[in-house]
């Protein structure tokens, strides 16, 4: 283990990456969502083009109001409800909606640009390659190593089948949970989101239990 960083250095590095990503993109860090968007890049590019038409929150609000009025048939004709002049102050109701300036901007709820998430994925591969090459430990492998062969299987066909099924289950669970270890474990827990804390506890607890079964029981 001497070839690896100490745990505290890794923690500091991950914290800096998460904070830097949040400050630059104003979004949470997440790898599974980035993979989903990059794999469906045609659909995402179409959605981004549609979003560009309403980059201004005021223009989007006006377009939604016009579409609502047209759908319900109130686009033409004057309203039967008497309207007070704009200059006249209106009493505030207890259940009045917050002002537009107090609501979260529509643009802040949109996902990060597709090119940003593609760059994130490329950086993961490039960073891993540079680290392995710089340490002199880079080499291509076609199995999971002697530990996997000893504990699980040494048959190549069975190994590929198990890895494929495991990958499908990981992908399904990630989308079902609404995030992966980076989205929930780093960004979500860093922001003290209850759902992220629960999700992180579940998948890390499951990993610990499975590792214990493989190394101590089986």
């Amino acid at each position: 283990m001497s070839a690896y960083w100490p745990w505290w250095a890794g923690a500091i590095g991950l914290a800096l990456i998460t904070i830097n990503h949040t400050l630059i993109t104003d979004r949470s860090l997440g790898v599974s969502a980035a993979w989903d968007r990059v794999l469906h890049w045609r659909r995402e590019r179409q959605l981004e083009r549609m979003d560009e038409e309403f980059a201004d929150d005021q223009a989007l609000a006006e377009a939604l109001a016009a579409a609502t009025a047209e759908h319900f048939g109130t686009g033409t004709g004057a309203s039967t409800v008497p309207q007070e002049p704009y200059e006249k102050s209106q009493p505030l109701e207890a259940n009045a909606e917050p002002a537009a300036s107090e609501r979260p901007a529509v643009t802040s709820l949109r996902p990060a640009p597709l090119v940003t998430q593609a760059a994130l994925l490329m950086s993961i591969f490039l960073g891993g390659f540079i680290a392995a090459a710089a340490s002199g430990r880079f080499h291509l492998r076609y199995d999971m190593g002697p530990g996997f062969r000893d504990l699980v299987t040494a048959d190549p066909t069975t190994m590929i089948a198990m890895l494929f099924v495991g990958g499908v289950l990981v992908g399904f669970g990630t989308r079902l949970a609404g995030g992966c270890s980076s989205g929930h474990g780093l960004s979500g827990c860093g922001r003290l989101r209850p759902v992220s804390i629960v999700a992180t506890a579940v998948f890390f607890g499951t990993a610990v239990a499975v590792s214990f079964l493989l190394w101590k029981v089986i």
Side-chain angles (χ1 to χ4, degrees):
M1 296 297 292
S2 60
Y4 296 94
W5 285 11
W7 66 267
W8 54 266
I12 294 176
L14 290 175
L16 292 176
I17 291 174
T18 305
I19 295 173
N20 184 58
H21 184 275
T22 303
L23 293 177
I24 293 177
T25 65
D26 194 24
R27 304 294 190 279
S28 297
L29 175 66
V31 177
S32 61
W35 271 115
D36 180 67
R37 297 193 67 217
V38 170
L39 292 177
H40 300 89
W41 64 272
R42 295 181 186 273
R43 178 197 65 190
E44 295 298 329
R45 283 297 301 147
Q46 183 180 4
L47 293 176
E48 285 186 350
R49 294 191 196 98
M50 296 173 62
D51 286 341
E52 290 173 357
E53 300 178 4
F54 302 105
D56 184 16
D57 288 339
Q58 182 64 28
L60 178 58
E62 293 176 355
L64 291 175
T68 302
E70 181 181 359
H71 178 76
F72 289 101
T74 59
T76 58
S79 173
T80 58
V81 179
Q83 300 292 332
E84 294 292 339
Y86 290 106
E87 295 79 11
K88 186 176 180 180
S89 61
Q90 299 292 331
L92 295 177
E93 299 180 2
N95 58 348
E97 295 183 357
S101 60
E102 299 177 358
R103 299 173 186 171
V106 177
T107 53
S108 65
L109 301 178
R110 294 169 180 159
L114 184 61
V115 63
T116 301
Q117 296 189 328
L120 170 65
L121 298 178
M122 292 179 61
S123 299
I124 293 175
F125 285 105
L126 185 61
F129 172 76
I130 293 176
S135 63
R137 294 183 290 108
F138 175 77
H139 63 279
L140 295 177
R141 301 190 60 165
Y142 299 96
D143 60 6
M144 295 295 292
F148 188 90
R149 291 194 300 267
D150 296 339
L151 294 174
V152 185
T153 180
D155 182 69
T157 303
T158 306
M159 182 182 301
I160 294 175
M162 292 188 64
L163 293 177
F164 177 80
V165 173
V168 171
L169 292 177
V170 168
F172 175 78
T174 297
R175 303 314 298 162
L176 181 65
C180 58
S181 57
S182 59
H184 282 310
L186 294 178
S187 296
C189 289
R191 297 184 178 187
L192 299 179
R193 293 178 177 173
V195 64
S196 296
I197 296 176
V198 172
T200 304
V202 169
F203 57 68
F204 269 107
T206 303
V208 170
V210 172
S211 299
F212 176 81
L213 290 176
L214 288 176
W215 288 97
K216 300 297 182 181
V217 178
I218 299 179

